[in-house]
Amino acid sequence: MACMKLGSKTDAFKRQGQAWFCTTGLPSDIVVEVGEMSFHLHKFPLLSRSGVMERLIAEASEEGEEKCSICLPDIPGGAKTFELVAKFCYGVKLELTASNVVYLRCAAEHLEMTEEYGEGNLITKTETFLNQVVLRNWKDSLRALQTCDDIISYDDELNVTKRCIESLAMKASTDPNLSGWPIMEYGGPMQSPGGSVLWNGISAGARVKNTSSDWWYEDASTLSFPRYKRLIAVMESRGIRQEIIAGSLTFYAKKYLPGLNRCQGATDTNSSTCVAPVALEAPPSEEDQKLLLEEIDRLLPIQKGLVPTNFLFGLLQTALILQVSPCYISNFEKRIGMQLDQATLEDLLIPNFSCSMETLYNVDCVQQILEHFLAMDQITGGASPSLVGDGQITASPSLTPVTLVAKLIDGYLAEVASDVNLKLPKFQALAASVPDYARHLDDGLYRAVDIYLKSHPWLSETEKEQLCQLMDCQKLSLEACTHAAQNERLPLRIVVQILFFEQLQLRTSITGCLLVSDNLDGSRQSGLAGPTERGWASTARENQVLKVGMDNMRTRVSELEKECSNMKQEIERLGRVKSFTWGNVSKRFGFKLKSRMCSAQEGSISNQNTESRKNEKLKDRQGQHKKNSTPKSR
């Protein structure tokens, strides 16, 4: 720490209880009261350096008292600072440091210790030390700024706070490797592990820190929030990058908001380095935390991706716990909604902090976040994929984020579905908020619906059917269809739909396998599939695998047909329907067959059967004609 010693006389001051005495051999003729401390001094050293003391001593002397008494209640820094001022007036050695120079500068201004009352007076000494030493060094500027909270009344006149903040902002926005001052590792050992470090050709014996953009975060977090806020404002005016500002605010908030501690272990994907804030001995009060949370919301950049998503969720949870104003909670929800595709399932599991404790997790909050995301997606032009030609969906730039969010919401629905207090309308509203085009498969939604049915067995058949209508049976995979066909919790009508579409998928898959197999056989016969024996062997193995898969599919189709037949017999036995054929199933249950391939294949199969029958009849007629014509030829 930089320092300067003033004066040459030895220290002649001694303290006795709450009083200071100057042991110069002469009895004191003035008592200066500063707070609870009394200073027994002499008039001449004081009035020869201070204009204020000169006037006060003159006024006291007019009253005719031999030993005058003066009270200085408003001196900056109190008794400790006046002790240093008195020593300076007596010519005692005075050590100027970054921790006391601000108090001494303001006290000298308060006492009018100008050059009129002696060359090299305290105003000149402190001002020179402040400009030439303190403001040129990061640590000293920081320590000086930390002492400015008690000199607010002198700040406008002396601009000490402004000058310290300008110095810090300039150094924080400048690359330390290119500037003319070193940064030592904060709180670390000063001895270099590989020897002394040379600084301007002088051995400093210190270890230089590997600097990065976040090197000043911890130092800045030691400032009071009003000073820190002014520092951030000056940095922004100097053009410092927004991601650096966001990182500093994140660090500051984690240090003074204990509710964010649970987010500390999460990985920060937006920062190249992870900095852990220092824990406080005494956390701020709830009211101070509320004010800090509101200020953090005002200062955080709005751009997407600058602030880690898990940190925003931490701010939202802290706001819910502290019960801040709803407008700030809505602001945090909007910030999260802008980058919901970067969130994880753990982030969405926000506990319900309401007094009613209706549900375990705050589903309403997630609903609001999802709505903000979809609204932002519409603004950016990615609300729905574009259609070209015969209904083909083209790739949209925002389709991937929407797909990620759909998968995230389906996972969240599966987590909260087991909550017995979660009402059906709330579950349906959240599931239906996701656009249809965002889900390529409904397997995740089916899993959430199945868990909800299992946890809510008291639902009526009508409610179960309403819940299952959230799914699109045509968008279930074969594995999901197989599970759903055997799921006793699903309504019978939904099971029949799933079985029907599963059979269509199997027939389509079998047709595709047959086409591939025919192509492989044709290429093998034509000699275009591979010139070497290794290529023929590989093709044969692939053909064998396809045939095995095709046989398995045929077996599965046969089993499904048997199940459907049993179901038809059971339904007829119960008298629920008069006739049960696949023709009126589509009419009764409202099936909409969109696939042209199935109808085309069925038509081709029927045409082949008709042609084969015609060929058989033609052969029979030819045979009879030969028999009848044989005797005549003889």
Side-chain angles (χ1 to χ4, degrees):
M1 175 169 45
C3 63
M4 178 185 293
K5 293 183 179 180
L6 304 177
S8 59
K9 296 183 180 180
T10 58
D11 193 351
F13 282 78
K14 290 185 179 180
R15 179 176 178 178
Q16 296 179 4
Q18 294 297 105
W20 279 94
F21 296 90
C22 181
T23 58
T24 60
L26 298 175
S28 62
D29 54 3
I30 184 173
V31 178
V32 181
E33 301 286 344
V34 181
E36 297 180 355
M37 191 68 65
S38 299
F39 293 87
H40 299 265
L41 307 173
H42 302 86
K43 297 178 181 179
F44 181 75
L46 298 179
L47 61 86
S48 64
R49 286 288 186 177
S50 169
V52 172
M53 295 301 296
E54 182 184 25
R55 290 194 299 272
L56 293 176
I57 291 173
E59 294 174 0
S61 299
E62 291 178 356
E63 297 178 0
E65 297 181 1
E66 183 178 353
K67 188 175 182 179
C68 62
S69 179
I70 297 175
C71 183
L72 297 176
D74 299 329
I75 187 169
K80 188 175 182 180
T81 301
F82 184 77
E83 174 193 348
L84 299 176
V85 172
K87 290 179 180 180
F88 174 78
C89 293
Y90 277 85
V92 179
K93 289 184 179 180
L94 178 62
E95 184 177 3
L96 292 180
T97 66
S99 300
N100 63 22
V101 67
V102 175
Y103 293 121
L104 288 172
R105 174 66 183 87
C106 296
E109 190 71 23
H110 179 75
L111 296 174
E112 298 180 7
M113 301 178 71
T114 62
E115 294 298 298
E116 298 178 3
Y117 296 91
E119 185 179 356
N121 211 344
L122 191 55
I123 288 180
T124 303
K125 295 291 186 182
T126 53
E127 190 69 24
T128 302
F129 181 76
L130 187 65
N131 291 328
Q132 297 184 1
V133 179
V134 174
L135 297 180
R136 293 186 178 184
N137 182 275
W138 168 268
K139 290 292 185 182
D140 290 339
S141 299
L142 184 69
R143 291 189 181 96
L145 183 60
Q146 291 170 345
T147 63
C148 290
D149 293 334
D150 300 329
I151 60 161
I152 299 176
S153 58
Y154 295 89
D155 192 27
D156 294 336
E157 182 179 356
L158 303 179
N159 289 326
V160 177
T161 301
K162 181 180 179 181
R163 286 186 286 170
C164 291
I165 289 177
E166 289 285 351
S167 173
L168 293 174
M170 183 272 294
K171 293 175 175 59
S173 58
T174 305
D175 187 359
N177 299 318
L178 301 178
S179 60
W181 44 276
I183 297 179
M184 301 305 172
E185 184 172 0
Y186 184 85
M190 297 302 292
Q191 183 62 34
S192 174
S196 298
V197 178
L198 293 179
W199 177 248
N200 290 338
I202 302 174
S203 177
R207 181 171 58 187
V208 177
K209 181 181 178 180
N210 294 327
T211 57
S212 59
S213 60
D214 59 6
W215 62 267
W216 55 274
Y217 288 178
E218 185 173 344
D219 287 340
S221 68
T222 60
L223 298 172
S224 62
F225 190 77
R227 307 298 179 195
Y228 175 79
K229 183 179 178 181
R230 289 183 60 180
L231 176 62
I232 293 299
V234 174
M235 287 183 176
E236 288 182 336
S237 65
R238 297 182 66 90
I240 194 170
R241 299 198 307 273
Q242 288 295 307
E243 56 266 25
I244 298 179
I245 296 294
S248 177
L249 289 167
T250 301
F251 189 96
Y252 196 95
K254 287 182 178 180
K255 183 174 181 178
Y256 293 99
L257 295 175
L260 294 175
N261 291 335
R262 75 175 197 89
C263 303
Q264 302 257 342
T267 302
D268 187 357
T269 58
N270 298 75
S271 178
S272 58
T273 58
C274 294
V275 286
V278 181
L280 295 177
E281 296 180 359
S285 63
E286 287 191 5
E287 189 63 29
D288 291 339
Q289 292 184 46
K290 285 183 180 181
L291 295 176
L292 176 59
L293 198 62
E294 294 172 358
E295 292 292 338
I296 291 294
D297 174 58
R298 296 189 187 101
L299 293 176
L300 277 177
I302 305 179
Q303 291 88 337
K304 175 181 178 181
L306 293 183
V307 183
T309 306
N310 68 316
F311 172 70
L312 292 176
F313 274 101
L315 290 177
L316 176 59
Q317 292 191 32
T318 305
L320 293 171
I321 294 174
L322 297 176
Q323 297 180 356
V324 301
S325 176
C327 64
Y328 293 104
I329 295 178
S330 178
N331 290 340
F332 290 131
E333 291 174 348
K334 291 178 181 178
R335 289 179 181 273
I336 296 173
M338 291 178 60
Q339 52 193 61
L340 182 58
D341 55 301
Q342 302 175 6
T344 62
L345 179 58
E346 184 180 358
D347 295 332
L348 288 181
L349 298 177
I350 304 173
N352 196 342
F353 300 107
S354 63
C355 299
S356 62
M357 292 297 292
E358 180 183 358
T359 56
L360 180 61
Y361 297 108
N362 196 329
V363 181
D364 295 331
C365 192
V366 176
Q367 178 77 40
Q368 294 294 327
I369 293 173
L370 178 60
E371 291 179 359
H372 289 309
F373 171 80
L374 295 176
M376 184 61 61
D377 191 58
Q378 291 178 354
I379 294 175
T380 56
S384 60
S386 56
L387 299 177
V388 176
D390 298 332
Q392 297 179 354
I393 299 178
T394 61
S396 175
S398 62
L399 188 59
T400 299
V402 172
T403 304
L404 292 175
V405 170
K407 185 178 180 181
L408 182 65
I409 295 299
D410 289 346
Y412 178 78
L413 289 170
E415 287 290 332
V416 301
S418 59
D419 189 354
V420 295
N421 294 325
L422 180 59
K423 303 301 181 182
L424 179 60
K426 188 172 294 187
F427 183 88
Q428 288 177 305
L430 182 58
S433 298
V434 179
D436 294 336
Y437 66 87
R439 292 188 178 103
H440 298 321
L441 289 175
D442 278 7
D443 290 8
L445 183 58
Y446 165 69
R447 177 172 173 266
V449 169
D450 184 41
I451 295 175
Y452 191 88
L453 291 173
K454 183 178 180 180
S455 303
H456 301 75
W458 54 81
L459 293 178
S460 63
E461 288 297 321
T462 303
E463 291 176 332
K464 290 181 180 180
E465 289 189 0
Q466 292 177 356
L467 179 62
C468 293
Q469 287 176 357
L470 295 171
M471 302 181 299
D472 187 354
C473 298
Q474 300 184 68
K475 294 171 67 175
L476 295 177
S477 64
L478 287 176
E479 293 79 7
C481 288
T482 302
H483 184 277
Q486 303 173 1
N487 193 344
E488 297 178 354
R489 290 183 288 269
L490 296 179
L492 179 61
R493 181 173 180 268
I494 302 299
V495 173
V496 173
Q497 289 185 12
I498 292 173
L499 286 172
F500 181 78
F501 288 115
E502 183 187 19
Q503 191 177 40
L504 291 181
Q505 291 184 23
L506 288 172
R507 288 181 177 179
T508 304
S509 301
I510 292 173
T511 303
C513 292
L514 289 174
L515 293 175
V516 172
S517 178
D518 294 341
N519 292 333
L520 290 175
D521 292 339
S523 62
R524 182 174 180 179
Q525 293 175 3
S526 60
L528 298 177
T532 62
E533 295 180 358
R534 183 178 300 175
W536 286 112
S538 176
T539 303
R541 285 195 298 270
E542 293 176 358
N543 194 9
Q544 185 66 24
V545 171
L546 290 173
K547 288 183 178 180
V548 172
M550 185 176 60
D551 293 338
N552 294 334
M553 291 182 183
R554 287 197 183 100
T555 303
R556 178 58 181 161
V557 170
S558 178
E559 293 176 356
L560 288 173
E561 290 177 349
K562 290 180 181 179
E563 291 178 4
C564 291
S565 178
N566 294 334
M567 290 177 63
K568 288 193 294 184
Q569 294 176 2
E570 185 67 18
I571 292 173
E572 290 176 356
R573 186 179 66 82
L574 295 175
R576 295 183 179 181
V577 294
K578 295 182 180 180
S579 60
F580 193 90
T581 61
W582 287 111
N584 58 21
V585 165
S586 60
K587 296 179 181 179
R588 183 176 180 82
F589 293 97
F591 295 147
K592 296 181 180 180
L593 302 181
K594 301 179 180 179
S595 175
R596 300 179 179 178
M597 182 181 294
C598 295
S599 60
Q601 290 171 359
E602 292 177 357
S604 61
I605 292 173
S606 60
N607 291 336
Q608 291 177 2
N609 293 336
T610 304
E611 291 178 0
S612 60
R613 292 174 182 175
K614 289 181 179 181
N615 292 333
E616 290 178 0
K617 291 181 180 181
L618 183 60
K619 290 181 181 180
D620 293 340
R621 291 178 180 178
Q622 290 178 355
Q624 292 177 2
H625 179 70
K626 288 181 180 180
K627 290 180 181 181
N628 295 333
S629 61
T630 300
K632 292 180 181 181
S633 60
R634 290 178 181 177

